[in-house]
Coordinates of all heavy atoms in Angstrom, one line a residue:
Y1 N 34.1 99.1 -68.9 CA 34.7 100.4 -68.6 C 34.1 100.9 -67.2 O 34.9 101.4 -66.4 CB 34.4 101.4 -69.7 CG 34.8 102.8 -69.3 CD1 36.2 103.2 -69.4 CD2 33.9 103.7 -68.9 CE1 36.5 104.5 -69.0 CE2 34.3 105.0 -68.5 CZ 35.6 105.4 -68.6 OH 36.0 106.6 -68.2
L2 N 32.8 100.7 -67.0 CA 32.2 101.3 -65.8 C 32.8 100.6 -64.5 O 33.2 101.3 -63.6 CB 30.7 101.0 -65.8 CG 30.0 101.4 -64.5 CD1 30.0 102.9 -64.4 CD2 28.5 100.9 -64.6
V3 N 33.0 99.3 -64.6 CA 33.5 98.6 -63.4 C 35.0 99.1 -63.1 O 35.3 99.4 -61.9 CB 33.5 97.1 -63.6 CG1 34.2 96.4 -62.5 CG2 32.1 96.6 -63.7
H4 N 35.8 99.2 -64.1 CA 37.2 99.6 -63.9 C 37.2 101.1 -63.4 O 38.0 101.4 -62.5 CB 37.9 99.5 -65.2 CG 39.3 100.1 -65.1 ND1 40.3 99.5 -64.4 CD2 39.9 101.2 -65.6 CE1 41.4 100.2 -64.5 NE2 41.2 101.3 -65.2
R5 N 36.4 101.9 -63.9 CA 36.4 103.4 -63.5 C 35.9 103.5 -62.1 O 36.5 104.3 -61.3 CB 35.5 104.2 -64.5 CG 35.5 105.6 -64.2 CD 36.9 106.2 -64.5 NE 36.8 107.7 -64.4 CZ 37.8 108.4 -63.8 NH1 38.9 107.8 -63.4 NH2 37.6 109.7 -63.7
V6 N 34.8 102.8 -61.7 CA 34.3 102.9 -60.3 C 35.4 102.4 -59.4 O 35.7 103.0 -58.3 CB 33.0 102.1 -60.2 CG1 32.6 102.0 -58.7 CG2 31.9 102.8 -60.9
E7 N 36.0 101.3 -59.8 CA 37.1 100.7 -58.9 C 38.2 101.7 -58.7 O 38.8 101.9 -57.6 CB 37.6 99.5 -59.6 CG 38.4 98.5 -58.8 CD 38.7 97.3 -59.6 OE1 39.1 97.3 -60.7 OE2 38.4 96.2 -59.0
E8 N 38.6 102.4 -59.8 CA 39.7 103.4 -59.8 C 39.3 104.6 -58.9 O 40.1 105.0 -58.0 CB 40.0 103.9 -61.2 CG 41.0 104.9 -61.3 CD 41.2 105.3 -62.8 OE1 40.2 105.8 -63.4 OE2 42.3 105.1 -63.3
L9 N 38.1 105.1 -59.1 CA 37.6 106.3 -58.3 C 37.4 105.9 -56.8 O 37.8 106.7 -55.9 CB 36.3 106.8 -58.8 CG 36.4 107.5 -60.2 CD1 35.0 107.8 -60.8 CD2 37.2 108.7 -60.1
A10 N 37.0 104.7 -56.5 CA 36.8 104.2 -55.2 C 38.1 104.2 -54.5 O 38.3 104.6 -53.3 CB 36.1 102.9 -55.1
S11 N 39.1 103.6 -55.1 CA 40.5 103.5 -54.5 C 41.0 104.9 -54.2 O 41.6 105.1 -53.1 CB 41.4 102.7 -55.5 OG 41.0 101.4 -55.6
Q12 N 40.9 105.8 -55.1 CA 41.4 107.2 -54.9 C 40.7 107.9 -53.8 O 41.3 108.5 -52.9 CB 41.2 108.0 -56.2 CG 42.1 107.6 -57.3 CD 41.8 108.3 -58.6 OE1 40.9 109.1 -58.7 NE2 42.5 107.9 -59.7
A13 N 39.4 107.7 -53.7 CA 38.6 108.4 -52.6 C 38.9 107.8 -51.3 O 39.1 108.5 -50.3 CB 37.1 108.2 -52.9
I14 N 39.0 106.5 -51.2 CA 39.4 105.8 -49.9 C 40.8 106.3 -49.5 O 41.0 106.5 -48.3 CB 39.2 104.3 -50.0 CG1 37.8 103.9 -50.2 CG2 39.9 103.6 -48.8 CD1 37.5 102.5 -50.6
E15 N 41.7 106.3 -50.4 CA 43.0 106.7 -50.1 C 43.1 108.2 -49.6 O 43.8 108.5 -48.6 CB 44.0 106.6 -51.3 CG 45.4 106.9 -50.9 CD 46.3 106.6 -52.2 OE1 46.1 105.7 -52.9 OE2 47.3 107.4 -52.3
S16 N 42.4 109.1 -50.3 CA 42.5 110.5 -49.9 C 41.5 110.9 -48.8 O 41.8 111.8 -48.1 CB 42.3 111.4 -51.2 OG 41.0 111.2 -51.7
R17 N 40.3 110.3 -48.8 CA 39.3 110.8 -47.8 C 38.8 109.7 -46.8 O 38.0 110.0 -45.9 CB 38.1 111.3 -48.6 CG 38.4 112.6 -49.3 CD 37.1 113.2 -50.0 NE 36.4 112.3 -50.9 CZ 36.8 112.2 -52.2 NH1 37.8 112.9 -52.7 NH2 36.1 111.4 -53.0
G18 N 39.2 108.5 -47.0 CA 38.9 107.4 -46.1 C 37.5 106.8 -46.4 O 37.1 105.9 -45.7
A19 N 36.8 107.2 -47.5 CA 35.5 106.6 -47.8 C 35.2 106.9 -49.3 O 35.8 107.9 -49.9 CB 34.4 107.2 -46.9
F20 N 34.3 106.1 -49.8 CA 33.9 106.3 -51.2 C 32.3 106.3 -51.2 O 31.7 105.4 -50.6 CB 34.4 105.2 -52.1 CG 33.8 105.2 -53.5 CD1 34.1 106.2 -54.3 CD2 33.0 104.2 -53.9 CE1 33.6 106.3 -55.6 CE2 32.5 104.2 -55.2 CZ 32.8 105.2 -56.1
C21 N 31.7 107.3 -51.8 CA 30.3 107.4 -51.9 C 29.9 107.2 -53.3 O 30.4 107.8 -54.2 CB 29.8 108.8 -51.4 SG 30.2 109.1 -49.7
L22 N 28.8 106.4 -53.5 CA 28.3 106.1 -54.8 C 26.8 106.3 -54.8 O 26.1 105.7 -54.0 CB 28.7 104.6 -55.2 CG 28.1 104.0 -56.5 CD1 28.8 104.7 -57.7 CD2 28.3 102.5 -56.5
S23 N 26.3 107.0 -55.8 CA 24.9 107.2 -55.9 C 24.4 106.4 -57.1 O 25.0 106.5 -58.2 CB 24.5 108.7 -56.2 OG 23.2 108.8 -56.4
I24 N 23.5 105.5 -56.9 CA 23.0 104.6 -57.9 C 21.6 105.2 -58.4 O 20.7 105.4 -57.6 CB 22.8 103.2 -57.4 CG1 24.2 102.6 -57.0 CG2 22.1 102.3 -58.5 CD1 24.1 101.2 -56.5
G25 N 21.6 105.5 -59.7 CA 20.4 106.1 -60.2 C 19.4 105.2 -60.9 O 18.3 105.6 -61.1
S26 N 19.8 104.0 -61.1 CA 18.9 103.0 -61.7 C 19.3 101.6 -61.6 O 20.5 101.4 -61.3 CB 18.7 103.3 -63.2 OG 19.9 102.9 -63.9
G27 N 18.4 100.7 -61.8 CA 18.8 99.3 -61.6 C 19.8 98.8 -62.7 O 20.5 97.9 -62.5
T28 N 19.8 99.5 -63.9 CA 20.7 99.1 -64.9 C 22.2 99.4 -64.5 O 23.1 98.7 -65.0 CB 20.4 99.7 -66.2 OG1 20.4 101.1 -66.1 CG2 19.0 99.2 -66.8
T29 N 22.4 100.3 -63.6 CA 23.7 100.7 -63.1 C 24.2 99.5 -62.3 O 25.4 99.3 -62.3 CB 23.7 102.0 -62.3 OG1 23.1 103.0 -63.1 CG2 25.0 102.4 -61.9
V30 N 23.4 98.9 -61.5 CA 23.8 97.9 -60.6 C 24.3 96.6 -61.3 O 25.3 96.0 -60.8 CB 22.6 97.5 -59.7 CG1 23.0 96.3 -58.8 CG2 22.2 98.7 -58.9
K31 N 23.8 96.3 -62.4 CA 24.2 95.0 -63.1 C 25.7 94.9 -63.3 O 26.3 93.9 -62.9 CB 23.4 94.8 -64.4 CG 21.9 94.5 -64.1 CD 21.1 94.3 -65.4 CE 19.7 94.1 -65.0 NZ 18.9 94.0 -66.2
P32 N 26.3 95.9 -64.0 CA 27.7 95.7 -64.2 C 28.5 95.8 -62.9 O 29.6 95.3 -62.7 CB 28.1 96.8 -65.1 CG 27.0 97.8 -65.1 CD 25.8 97.0 -64.7
L33 N 28.0 96.6 -61.9 CA 28.7 96.8 -60.6 C 28.9 95.5 -59.9 O 29.8 95.3 -59.1 CB 28.1 97.8 -59.8 CG 28.2 99.3 -60.3 CD1 27.4 100.2 -59.4 CD2 29.6 99.7 -60.4
A34 N 27.9 94.6 -60.1 CA 28.0 93.3 -59.4 C 29.3 92.5 -59.7 O 29.7 91.7 -58.9 CB 26.8 92.4 -59.8
R35 N 29.9 92.9 -60.8 CA 31.2 92.2 -61.2 C 32.3 92.6 -60.3 O 33.3 91.9 -60.2 CB 31.5 92.5 -62.7 CG 30.6 91.8 -63.6 CD 31.1 92.0 -65.0 NE 30.6 93.4 -65.4 CZ 30.6 93.8 -66.6 NH1 31.0 93.2 -67.6 NH2 30.1 95.0 -66.8
L36 N 32.1 93.7 -59.5 CA 33.2 94.1 -58.6 C 33.4 93.1 -57.6 O 34.6 92.9 -57.1 CB 32.8 95.4 -57.9 CG 32.9 96.7 -58.8 CD1 32.2 97.9 -58.1 CD2 34.4 97.0 -59.0
A37 N 32.4 92.3 -57.2 CA 32.6 91.3 -56.2 C 33.4 90.1 -56.7 O 34.0 89.4 -55.9 CB 31.2 90.8 -55.7
E38 N 33.4 89.9 -58.0 CA 34.1 88.8 -58.6 C 35.6 89.1 -58.9 O 36.4 88.2 -59.0 CB 33.4 88.5 -59.9 CG 32.0 88.1 -59.8 CD 31.2 88.1 -61.1 OE1 31.9 88.3 -62.2 OE2 30.0 87.8 -61.1
R39 N 35.9 90.4 -58.9 CA 37.3 90.8 -59.2 C 38.2 90.5 -58.0 O 37.8 90.7 -56.8 CB 37.3 92.2 -59.6 CG 36.6 92.5 -60.9 CD 36.4 93.9 -61.3 NE 37.7 94.6 -61.5 CZ 38.2 94.7 -62.7 NH1 37.6 94.2 -63.8 NH2 39.4 95.4 -62.9
K40 N 39.4 90.2 -58.3 CA 40.4 89.9 -57.2 C 41.2 91.1 -56.9 O 42.3 91.3 -57.3 CB 41.3 88.7 -57.6 CG 40.5 87.4 -58.0 CD 39.8 86.9 -56.8 CE 39.1 85.6 -57.2 NZ 38.0 85.2 -56.4
T41 N 40.6 92.0 -56.2 CA 41.3 93.3 -55.8 C 41.3 93.4 -54.3 O 40.5 92.8 -53.6 CB 40.6 94.5 -56.5 OG1 39.3 94.6 -55.9 CG2 40.5 94.4 -58.0
A42 N 42.0 94.4 -53.8 CA 42.1 94.6 -52.4 C 41.1 95.8 -52.0 O 41.4 96.5 -51.1 CB 43.5 95.0 -52.0
M43 N 40.0 95.9 -52.7 CA 39.1 96.9 -52.5 C 38.5 96.8 -51.0 O 38.1 95.7 -50.6 CB 37.9 96.9 -53.5 CG 36.9 97.9 -53.4 SD 37.5 99.6 -53.7 CE 38.2 99.5 -55.3
D44 N 38.5 97.9 -50.3 CA 37.9 97.9 -49.0 C 36.5 98.4 -49.0 O 36.1 99.6 -48.9 CB 38.7 98.9 -48.1 CG 38.3 98.9 -46.6 OD1 37.3 98.2 -46.3 OD2 38.9 99.5 -45.8
F45 N 35.6 97.4 -49.3 CA 34.2 97.7 -49.4 C 33.5 98.2 -48.1 O 32.4 98.8 -48.1 CB 33.4 96.5 -50.0 CG 33.7 96.2 -51.4 CD1 34.5 95.2 -51.8 CD2 33.2 97.1 -52.4 CE1 34.8 94.9 -53.1 CE2 33.5 96.8 -53.8 CZ 34.3 95.7 -54.1
G46 N 34.2 98.0 -47.0 CA 33.7 98.5 -45.7 C 33.7 100.0 -45.7 O 33.1 100.6 -44.8
R47 N 34.4 100.6 -46.6 CA 34.5 102.1 -46.6 C 33.6 102.7 -47.7 O 33.7 103.9 -48.0 CB 35.9 102.5 -46.8 CG 36.8 102.1 -45.6 CD 38.2 102.6 -45.9 NE 39.1 102.2 -44.8 CZ 39.4 103.0 -43.8 NH1 39.0 104.3 -43.8 NH2 40.2 102.6 -42.9
W48 N 32.8 101.9 -48.3 CA 31.8 102.4 -49.3 C 30.5 102.8 -48.7 O 30.1 102.2 -47.7 CB 31.5 101.3 -50.3 CG 32.5 101.0 -51.4 CD1 33.9 100.9 -51.2 CD2 32.3 100.8 -52.7 NE1 34.5 100.6 -52.4 CE2 33.5 100.6 -53.4 CE3 31.1 100.8 -53.5 CZ2 33.6 100.3 -54.7 CZ3 31.2 100.5 -54.9 CH2 32.5 100.3 -55.5
H49 N 29.9 103.9 -49.2 CA 28.6 104.3 -48.9 C 27.8 104.4 -50.2 O 28.2 105.0 -51.1 CB 28.6 105.7 -48.2 CG 29.1 105.6 -46.8 ND1 28.3 105.5 -45.7 CD2 30.4 105.7 -46.4 CE1 29.1 105.5 -44.6 NE2 30.4 105.6 -45.0
V50 N 26.6 103.7 -50.2 CA 25.8 103.6 -51.4 C 24.5 104.4 -51.1 O 23.8 104.1 -50.1 CB 25.5 102.2 -51.8 CG1 24.7 102.1 -53.0 CG2 26.8 101.4 -52.0
F51 N 24.2 105.3 -52.1 CA 22.9 106.1 -52.0 C 22.1 105.8 -53.2 O 22.7 105.4 -54.3 CB 23.3 107.6 -52.0 CG 24.1 108.0 -50.8 CD1 25.4 107.9 -50.7 CD2 23.4 108.5 -49.6 CE1 26.2 108.2 -49.6 CE2 24.2 108.9 -48.5 CZ 25.5 108.7 -48.5
F52 N 20.8 106.0 -53.2 CA 19.9 105.8 -54.3 C 19.3 107.1 -54.7 O 18.7 107.8 -53.9 CB 18.9 104.8 -53.9 CG 19.5 103.4 -53.7 CD1 19.9 103.1 -52.4 CD2 19.6 102.5 -54.7 CE1 20.5 101.9 -52.2 CE2 20.3 101.3 -54.5 CZ 20.7 101.0 -53.2
G53 N 19.6 107.5 -56.0 CA 19.2 108.9 -56.4 C 18.0 109.0 -57.2 O 17.5 110.1 -57.4
N54 N 17.4 107.9 -57.7 CA 16.2 108.0 -58.6 C 15.3 106.9 -58.2 O 14.9 106.1 -59.0 CB 16.6 107.9 -60.0 CG 15.5 108.2 -61.0 OD1 14.5 108.8 -60.6 ND2 15.6 107.8 -62.2
E55 N 14.9 106.8 -57.0 CA 14.1 105.7 -56.5 C 12.6 106.0 -56.3 O 12.3 107.1 -55.8 CB 14.6 105.3 -55.1 CG 14.1 104.0 -54.5 CD 14.7 102.8 -55.2 OE1 14.4 102.6 -56.4 OE2 15.4 102.1 -54.6
R56 N 11.8 105.2 -56.8 CA 10.3 105.3 -56.6 C 10.0 104.8 -55.2 O 10.5 103.8 -54.8 CB 9.6 104.5 -57.7 CG 9.7 105.1 -59.0 CD 8.8 104.4 -60.0 NE 9.0 105.1 -61.3 CZ 9.4 104.5 -62.4 NH1 9.8 103.2 -62.4 NH2 9.5 105.2 -63.5
T57 N 9.2 105.5 -54.5 CA 8.9 105.1 -53.1 C 7.4 104.7 -52.9 O 7.1 104.4 -51.8 CB 9.2 106.3 -52.2 OG1 8.3 107.4 -52.5 CG2 10.6 106.7 -52.2
E58 N 6.6 104.6 -54.0 CA 5.3 104.2 -53.9 C 4.9 103.3 -55.1 O 5.5 103.5 -56.1 CB 4.3 105.4 -53.8 CG 4.5 106.2 -52.5 CD 3.5 107.4 -52.4 OE1 3.0 107.8 -53.5 OE2 3.3 107.8 -51.3
G59 N 3.9 102.5 -54.9 CA 3.4 101.7 -56.0 C 4.2 100.4 -56.2 O 5.0 100.0 -55.4
D60 N 3.8 99.7 -57.3 CA 4.4 98.4 -57.6 C 5.9 98.4 -57.8 O 6.6 97.4 -57.5 CB 3.7 97.7 -58.8 CG 2.3 97.4 -58.6 OD1 1.9 97.3 -57.4 OD2 1.5 97.3 -59.6
T61 N 6.5 99.5 -58.2 CA 7.9 99.5 -58.5 C 8.7 100.2 -57.4 O 9.9 100.5 -57.6 CB 8.2 100.3 -59.8 OG1 7.6 101.6 -59.7 CG2 7.6 99.5 -61.0
A62 N 8.1 100.4 -56.2 CA 8.7 101.0 -55.1 C 10.0 100.2 -54.7 O 10.0 99.0 -54.6 CB 7.8 101.2 -53.9
F63 N 11.1 100.9 -54.6 CA 12.4 100.4 -54.1 C 12.9 99.3 -55.0 O 13.7 98.5 -54.5 CB 12.2 100.0 -52.7 CG 11.8 101.1 -51.8 CD1 10.5 101.1 -51.2 CD2 12.6 102.2 -51.5 CE1 10.1 102.1 -50.4 CE2 12.2 103.2 -50.7 CZ 10.9 103.2 -50.2
K64 N 12.5 99.3 -56.2 CA 13.0 98.3 -57.2 C 14.6 98.4 -57.3 O 15.3 97.4 -57.3 CB 12.4 98.4 -58.5 CG 12.7 97.3 -59.5 CD 11.9 97.5 -60.8 CE 12.2 96.4 -61.8 NZ 11.4 96.6 -63.0
C65 N 15.1 99.6 -57.4 CA 16.5 99.7 -57.6 C 17.3 99.3 -56.3 O 18.2 98.5 -56.3 CB 16.9 101.2 -57.8 SG 18.6 101.5 -58.1
F66 N 16.7 99.7 -55.1 CA 17.3 99.3 -53.9 C 17.3 97.7 -53.7 O 18.4 97.2 -53.4 CB 16.5 99.9 -52.7 CG 16.9 99.4 -51.4 CD1 18.1 99.9 -50.7 CD2 16.2 98.4 -50.7 CE1 18.5 99.5 -49.5 CE2 16.6 97.9 -49.5 CZ 17.7 98.5 -48.8
E67 N 16.2 97.1 -54.0 CA 16.1 95.7 -53.9 C 17.1 95.0 -54.8 O 17.7 94.0 -54.5 CB 14.7 95.2 -54.1 CG 13.8 95.6 -53.0 CD 12.3 95.5 -53.3 OE1 11.9 95.1 -54.4 OE2 11.5 95.9 -52.4
G68 N 17.2 95.5 -56.1 CA 18.1 94.9 -57.0 C 19.6 95.1 -56.6 O 20.4 94.3 -56.9
A69 N 19.9 96.2 -55.9 CA 21.2 96.5 -55.5 C 21.7 95.7 -54.3 O 22.9 95.5 -54.1 CB 21.4 97.9 -55.2
M70 N 20.8 95.1 -53.6 CA 21.2 94.4 -52.4 C 22.0 93.2 -52.7 O 22.9 92.8 -51.9 CB 20.0 94.0 -51.5 CG 19.3 95.3 -50.8 SD 20.5 96.3 -50.0 CE 21.0 95.3 -48.6
G71 N 21.8 92.5 -53.8 CA 22.7 91.4 -54.2 C 24.1 91.9 -54.4 O 25.1 91.3 -53.9
F72 N 24.3 93.0 -55.0 CA 25.6 93.6 -55.2 C 26.2 94.0 -53.9 O 27.4 93.8 -53.6 CB 25.5 94.8 -56.2 CG 26.5 95.9 -55.9 CD1 27.8 95.8 -56.3 CD2 26.0 97.2 -55.4 CE1 28.7 96.8 -56.1 CE2 26.9 98.2 -55.3 CZ 28.3 98.0 -55.6
V73 N 25.4 94.6 -53.0 CA 25.9 95.1 -51.7 C 26.4 93.9 -50.9 O 27.5 93.9 -50.3 CB 24.7 95.8 -50.9 CG1 25.1 96.0 -49.5 CG2 24.5 97.2 -51.6
R74 N 25.6 92.9 -50.8 CA 26.0 91.7 -50.0 C 27.2 91.0 -50.6 O 28.1 90.5 -49.9 CB 24.8 90.7 -49.9 CG 23.7 91.3 -49.0 CD 22.6 90.3 -48.8 NE 21.5 90.9 -48.0 CZ 20.3 91.3 -48.5 NH1 20.0 91.0 -49.8 NH2 19.4 91.9 -47.8
A75 N 27.2 90.8 -52.0 CA 28.3 90.1 -52.6 C 29.6 90.9 -52.4 O 30.7 90.2 -52.2 CB 28.0 90.0 -54.1
C76 N 29.6 92.2 -52.3 CA 30.8 93.0 -52.1 C 31.2 93.1 -50.6 O 32.3 93.5 -50.3 CB 30.7 94.3 -52.7 SG 30.7 94.3 -54.5
G77 N 30.2 92.8 -49.8 CA 30.5 93.0 -48.3 C 30.4 94.4 -47.8 O 31.0 94.8 -46.8
I78 N 29.6 95.2 -48.6 CA 29.3 96.6 -48.1 C 28.4 96.5 -46.9 O 27.3 95.9 -47.0 CB 28.7 97.4 -49.2 CG1 29.6 97.5 -50.4 CG2 28.4 98.8 -48.7 CD1 29.0 98.1 -51.7
P79 N 28.8 97.1 -45.8 CA 28.0 97.0 -44.6 C 26.6 97.7 -44.9 O 26.5 98.7 -45.5 CB 28.7 97.9 -43.5 CG 30.1 97.9 -44.0 CD 30.0 97.8 -45.5
E80 N 25.5 97.0 -44.4 CA 24.2 97.5 -44.7 C 24.0 98.9 -44.0 O 23.2 99.7 -44.5 CB 23.1 96.5 -44.2 CG 23.1 95.3 -45.2 CD 21.8 94.4 -45.0 OE1 20.8 95.0 -44.6 OE2 22.0 93.2 -45.3
A81 N 24.7 99.2 -43.0 CA 24.7 100.5 -42.3 C 25.2 101.6 -43.3 O 24.9 102.8 -43.1 CB 25.5 100.5 -41.0
N82 N 25.9 101.2 -44.3 CA 26.5 102.1 -45.3 C 25.6 102.2 -46.5 O 26.0 102.8 -47.5 CB 27.9 101.7 -45.7 CG 28.9 101.9 -44.5 OD1 28.5 102.2 -43.4 ND2 30.1 101.6 -44.8
V83 N 24.4 101.6 -46.5 CA 23.5 101.7 -47.6 C 22.4 102.6 -47.2 O 21.7 102.3 -46.3 CB 23.0 100.2 -48.0 CG1 22.0 100.3 -49.1 CG2 24.2 99.3 -48.3
H84 N 22.2 103.6 -48.0 CA 21.3 104.7 -47.6 C 20.1 104.7 -48.5 O 20.1 105.2 -49.7 CB 22.0 106.0 -47.6 CG 23.3 106.0 -46.8 ND1 23.3 106.0 -45.4 CD2 24.6 105.8 -47.2 CE1 24.5 105.9 -45.0 NE2 25.3 105.8 -46.0
K85 N 19.0 104.2 -48.0 CA 17.7 104.0 -48.8 C 16.9 105.3 -48.7 O 16.8 105.9 -47.6 CB 17.0 102.8 -48.2 CG 15.7 102.5 -48.9 CD 15.1 101.2 -48.2 CE 13.8 100.8 -48.8 NZ 13.2 99.7 -48.1
V86 N 16.2 105.6 -49.7 CA 15.3 106.7 -49.7 C 14.1 106.4 -48.8 O 13.6 105.3 -48.9 CB 14.8 107.0 -51.2 CG1 13.7 108.1 -51.2 CG2 15.9 107.4 -52.1
P87 N 13.6 107.3 -48.0 CA 12.5 107.0 -47.1 C 11.2 106.7 -47.9 O 11.0 107.3 -49.0 CB 12.3 108.2 -46.2 CG 13.6 108.9 -46.3 CD 14.2 108.6 -47.7
A88 N 10.4 105.8 -47.4 CA 9.1 105.5 -48.1 C 8.1 106.7 -48.0 O 8.2 107.5 -47.1 CB 8.5 104.2 -47.5
G89 N 7.2 106.7 -49.0 CA 6.2 107.7 -49.0 C 6.6 109.0 -49.7 O 7.6 109.1 -50.3
E90 N 5.7 109.9 -49.7 CA 5.9 111.1 -50.5 C 6.9 112.1 -49.8 O 7.5 112.9 -50.5 CB 4.6 111.9 -50.7 CG 3.6 111.1 -51.6 CD 2.3 111.9 -51.7 OE1 2.3 113.1 -51.7 OE2 1.3 111.2 -51.9
G91 N 7.0 112.0 -48.5 CA 8.0 112.9 -47.8 C 7.4 114.2 -47.6 O 6.3 114.5 -48.0
G92 N 8.1 115.0 -46.9 CA 7.6 116.4 -46.6 C 8.2 117.4 -47.5 O 8.6 117.0 -48.6
P93 N 8.1 118.6 -47.2 CA 8.6 119.7 -48.1 C 10.1 119.5 -48.4 O 10.5 119.9 -49.5 CB 8.4 121.0 -47.3 CG 7.6 120.6 -46.1 CD 7.6 119.1 -45.9
Q94 N 10.9 118.9 -47.6 CA 12.3 118.8 -47.8 C 12.5 117.7 -48.9 O 13.6 117.7 -49.6 CB 13.0 118.3 -46.5 CG 12.8 119.2 -45.4 CD 13.7 120.5 -45.6 OE1 14.1 120.9 -46.7 NE2 13.9 121.2 -44.5
A95 N 11.6 116.8 -49.2 CA 11.8 115.7 -50.1 C 12.1 116.2 -51.5 O 12.8 115.6 -52.3 CB 10.6 114.8 -50.1
S96 N 11.4 117.3 -51.9 CA 11.6 117.8 -53.3 C 12.8 118.8 -53.4 O 13.1 119.2 -54.5 CB 10.3 118.6 -53.7 OG 10.1 119.7 -52.9
A97 N 13.4 119.1 -52.3 CA 14.5 120.1 -52.4 C 15.8 119.5 -53.0 O 16.0 118.3 -53.1 CB 14.9 120.5 -50.9

């Protein structure tokens, strides 16, 4: 269901706004999305923007979601410039906003 729904929403967003933005909150979200690369659709992955919403930036598990998602990003052909990684470290006062 997830793959079909993301595909549907992405197509609608690209048609109406010219781009699709996806926030990935965990590594488990990425696993089914990898199937998008295998599907034979006319999806314009060059218009996708991927953000990470629940990423650890310090310690052994830092950027685990980002690193896991890069296989999906590359397989789909999403430009790396359209992949928005959370900055490393604790961040400033704006980080918690």
Side-chain angles (χ1 to χ4, degrees):
Y1 172 80
L2 177 67
V3 172
H4 175 72
R5 185 67 175 139
V6 169
E7 198 172 47
E8 180 179 61
L9 292 171
S11 294
Q12 291 171 0
I14 290 168
E15 183 178 323
S16 66
R17 293 186 299 275
F20 173 64
C21 297
L22 175 70
S23 177
I24 296 177
S26 73
T28 56
T29 306
V30 175
K31 289 179 184 177
L33 291 177
R35 287 184 284 193
L36 285 166
E38 301 166 2
R39 296 172 64 93
K40 304 297 183 203
T41 64
M43 182 64 58
D44 186 354
F45 289 107
R47 295 179 180 262
W48 281 46
H49 288 266
V50 180
F51 298 84
F52 295 87
N54 187 22
E55 191 75 292
R56 293 187 175 117
T57 60
E58 295 181 339
D60 293 342
T61 58
F63 302 108
K64 187 175 180 181
C65 183
F66 173 82
E67 291 165 1
M70 288 312 291
F72 151 70
V73 166
R74 289 184 186 111
C76 290
I78 299 170
E80 289 194 31
N82 293 2
V83 179
H84 309 282
K85 183 179 178 182
V86 175
E90 293 181 29
Q94 302 287 21
S96 62

